[in-house]
Amino acid sequence: RNRSFHFVQENPAHIMSSTVTFEVGMTCGGCANACKRILSKQAGVSEVTANVETKAVVVTGTNLDAQALLASLQKWANASKKSLKLVSSS
């Protein structure tokens, strides 16, 4: 007998790919690295990019909680006197 099995791995409906963008008053590479370090530790985050010139921090991952990400950056922003704004979440 020839038995073959074919398994298809599907993305469960509850796992959603998402992107969250922040505008952060970064002034140097140290600021960018701090943002990356802080956000990379958060649940669901797979990648963080930070651009000092455009002041953009983009977080990609699954089931991201924009408010939780914002809260995680807020303490650093307050301590370093940097502006922080949630621009978009999708």
Side-chain angles (χ1 to χ4, degrees):
R1 286 185 217 182
N2 184 4
R3 291 185 182 180
S4 63
F5 296 94
H6 181 69
F7 293 98
V8 176
Q9 185 175 359
E10 296 180 25
N11 267 349
H14 66 279
I15 295 178
M16 298 295 294
S17 177
S18 51
T19 302
V20 179
T21 304
F22 296 98
E23 183 179 297
V24 183
M26 299 176 289
T27 55
C28 66
C31 295
N33 288 335
C35 291
K36 289 179 186 179
R37 184 182 70 251
I38 292 164
L39 292 168
S40 293
K41 296 177 182 178
Q42 304 306 308
V45 173
S46 58
E47 182 180 14
V48 180
T49 59
N51 186 316
V52 176
E53 289 180 15
T54 63
K55 310 287 188 206
V57 175
V58 180
V59 184
T60 54
T62 53
N63 297 333
L64 296 177
D65 180 342
Q67 292 305 314
L69 294 173
L70 180 63
S72 72
L73 264 188
Q74 192 67 59
K75 184 177 180 181
W76 168 83
N78 291 345
S80 60
K81 296 181 173 52
K82 304 297 182 196
S83 61
L84 172 62
K85 182 172 96 175
L86 174 61
V87 176
S88 67
S89 177
S90 61

